[in-house]
């Protein structure tokens, strides 16, 4: 991919098309399916192929809405939409079931109908329009998960309503009420019962609220104003997740969606709301996209891969198909702006002056900003059980870094394969055990306190205290075993292993370095993990570790 500097609308649309053009040879004969790989998600392959058709629309629809044109893609999506919804077609997407992945992918089609109807809807015959609307009605016949999925139900019914087709008014109100029940205050939501602060707040809950507010401001003015006001509040906190080099905090699930991390600010720009000044938001978007341009995230044919800063199946969730990474196209929502919009000519401004330490109350975390561009999050912990792959590593470590990422476990049989960075791990019974769901935790401006158990027979009370040089960890451990514990810092790139130091302040720990298996870290494929090794005895133990970065 071209690593040019971004600035103008032409720059943005050219790079978007460079990402999407390599897909063109892989659309099926009737254009309703897109298959670019041989790995699997938990849902049927046919749904994954429909996902491949749908997800590029997050970018293409905005591109079309702003005046862009690509005749080949326009033909592909008109033909594919018709054949995919035609029961007589060999590429018919089929009926849906409860919690069907196809319900997720309907949202991008709804987005395209709402913002680029002249390309994808108006050219259809009346028969074809009815056919598409009948298939979209499947979202009203089947259950959506009680999380951000309820916004898919809202957006699809909004598109049906706006095109004059039958829509589920009562069900839509119920979904809107559910979204309201997820609101925490201060601009923050929970992503349903198993949700907590992660990217599903900016690139889902907030993003869809902005989209709804743009198209329903006349019919539902109070709610639309509320959604936009929340987005303005949220954007003032969310900026703390971005480093000066454009990278964003690797934290939580669905990180293979990569530059969707900045989709929230792109949606703000699209809707002409300014949680931050327009040049600042442009700077965030430009630096973020340029950051990803410089990562090896594409294969040799130009297709996006599954992974984070390099291809990596190990860090994925069960819902990641080869087509899934194209959710990232949400970052191009700003292309909905026409050529003469001030966004395209305004300066690219740096981040505003941000505090070196910020308590994000609704996110249950403390953010530290360090010289050299390292942004570190100290979160409270995981609030839900094991729902998706590697949730222990994605939510329950003591610290997360834009510079060093985090590592995921290959196996629990030794520390090399466990790669236990930024966590206190225990070697007992021939396995490595780490923190999963905390029994309880509390985050204040001064510290994070949590009570957790890596396995029956060990109970840990941890205090994480941020300092100007990093943070201190004080662990009180009640153990039924004599065992070994490792209190670890960040996983450092093997080429530059000097960025983090850990040392024992209490408990007679021994400093050492673990060489974990390759490809366990999200950012660096080969790493070294500095740790302090402690010998834990039966009974009560108190250890204290200082982590410097």
């Amino acid at each position: 991919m071209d690593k040019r500097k971004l600035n103008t609308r032409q720059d943005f649309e050219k790079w978007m098309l460079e990402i999407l053009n390599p897909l063109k040879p892989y659309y099926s004969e009737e254009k309703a399916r897109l298959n670019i790989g041989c790995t699997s998600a938990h849902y049927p392959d046919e749904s994954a192929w429909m996902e491949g058709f749908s997800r590029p629309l997050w970018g293409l629809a905005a591109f079309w809405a702003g005046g862009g044109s690509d005749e080949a893609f326009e033909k592909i999506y008109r033909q594919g939409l018709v054949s995919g919804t035609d029961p007589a077609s060999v590429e018919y997407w089929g009926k849906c079931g409860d919690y069907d992945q196809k319900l997720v992918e309907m949202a991008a089609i709804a987005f395209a109908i709402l913002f680029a109807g002249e390309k994808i809807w108006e050219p259809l015959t009346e028969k074809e329009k009815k056919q598409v609307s009948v298939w979209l009605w499947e979202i009203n016949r089947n259950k959506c998960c009680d999380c951000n999925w309820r916004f898919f139900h809202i957006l699809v019914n909004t598109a049906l309503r706006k095109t004059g087709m039958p829509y589920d008014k009562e069900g839509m109100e119920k979904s809107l009420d559910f979204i309201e029940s997820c609101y925490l205050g201060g601009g923050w939501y929970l992503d349903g019962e198993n949700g907590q602060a992660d990217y599903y707040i900016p690139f889902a809950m907030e993003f869809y609220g902005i989209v709804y507010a743009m198209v329903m401001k006349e019919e539902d003015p109070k709610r639309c104003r509320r959604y936009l006001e929340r987005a303005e509040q949220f954007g003032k906190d969310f900026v703390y997740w971005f480093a000066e080099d454009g990278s964003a905090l690797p934290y939580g699930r669905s990180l293979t969606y990569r530059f969707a991390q900045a989709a929230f600010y792109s949606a703000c720009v699209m809707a002409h709301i300014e949680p931050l000044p327009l040049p600042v938001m442009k700077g965030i978007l430009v630096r973020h996209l340029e950051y990803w341009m410089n990562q090896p995230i594409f294969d040799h044919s130009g297709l996006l891969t599954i992974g984070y800063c390099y291809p990596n199946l190990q860090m994925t969730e069960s819902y990641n198909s080869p087509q899934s990474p194209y959710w990232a196209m949400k970052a191009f929502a700003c292309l909905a702006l026409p050529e003469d919009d001030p966004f395209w000519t305004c300066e690219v401004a740096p981040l505003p002056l941000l505090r070196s330490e910020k308590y994000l109350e609704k996110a249950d975390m403390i953010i530290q900003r360090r010289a050299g561009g390292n942004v570190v999050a100290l979160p409270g912990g995981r609030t839900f059980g094991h729902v998706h792959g590697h949730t222990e590593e994605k939510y329950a470590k003591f610290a997360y870094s834009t510079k060093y990422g985090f590592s995921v476990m290959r196996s629990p049989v030794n520390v090399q394969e466990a790669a236990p960075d930024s966590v206190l791990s225990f070697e007992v019974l021939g396995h490595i055990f780490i923190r999963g769901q905390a029994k309880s935790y509390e985050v204040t401006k001064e510290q994070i306190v949590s009570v957790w158990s890596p396995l029956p027979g060990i109970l840990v009370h941890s205090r994480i205290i941020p300092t100007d040089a990093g943070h201190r960890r004080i662990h009180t451990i009640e153990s039924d075993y004599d065992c070994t514990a490792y209190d670890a810092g960040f996983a450092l790139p093997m080429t530059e292993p000097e960025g983090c130091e850990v040392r024992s302040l209490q408990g007679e720990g021994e400093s050492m370095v673990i060489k974990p298996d390759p490809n366990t870290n999200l950012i660096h494929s080969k790493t070294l993990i500095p740790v302090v090794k402690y010998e834990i005895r039966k009974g009560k133990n108190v250890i204290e570790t200082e982590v410097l970065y």
Side-chain angles (χ1 to χ4, degrees), residues 86-157:
D86 181 2
S89 169
V90 294
E91 295 186 8
Y92 177 50
W93 292 327
K95 298 284 187 181
C96 296
D98 289 346
Y99 316 118
D100 198 308
Q101 183 66 26
K102 294 192 290 290
L103 305 178
V104 175
E105 308 313 329
M106 287 182 186
I109 294 172
F111 180 74
I113 291 172
L114 288 167
F115 286 87
E118 73 282 358
K119 298 287 188 181
I120 201 171
W121 178 260
E122 291 170 14
L124 304 185
T125 66
E126 291 304 311
K127 179 183 177 182
E128 290 168 342
K129 289 176 181 177
K130 183 178 180 181
Q131 173 185 299
V132 171
S133 68
V134 166
W135 186 79
L136 290 173
W137 187 267
E138 285 291 297
I139 205 166
N140 298 322
R141 296 180 56 252
N142 298 281
K143 293 179 182 178
C144 287
C145 297
D146 285 334
C147 59
N148 70 90
W149 281 41
R150 295 291 285 272
F151 251 129
F152 305 146
H153 181 248
I154 293 165
L155 293 181
V156 169
N157 278 284

Side-chain angles (χ1 to χ4, degrees), residues 9 12-13 16 59 62-67 266 332-338 344:
R9 190 180 193 282
F12 275 74
E13 66 181 29
M16 187 207 72
F63 167 66
W64 292 329
S266 197
F332 291 99
C334 59
L335 282 174
L337 299 174
W344 302 117

Side-chain angles (χ1 to χ4, degrees), residues 430-443:
H431 285 72
I432 305 298
F433 296 87
I434 60 173
R435 185 169 77 155
Q437 186 176 7
K439 294 180 180 292
S440 65
Y441 70 76
E442 181 183 22
V443 183

Side-chain angles (χ1 to χ4, degrees), residues 3 32 108 110 141 162 346 374-375 381 410 424 428 480 494 544:
K3 296 178 175 59
R141 296 180 56 252
K162 287 287 189 175
C346 77
N374 189 17
V375 175
R410 184 185 293 274
L424 178 66
V428 59
D480 292 345
M494 197 173 288
E544 181 175 355

Side-chain angles (χ1 to χ4, degrees), residues 152-169:
F152 305 146
H153 181 248
I154 293 165
L155 293 181
V156 169
N157 278 284
T158 299
L160 291 172
R161 177 177 179 172
K162 287 287 189 175
T163 54
M165 295 296 176
Y167 73 100
D168 182 8
K169 181 178 181 180

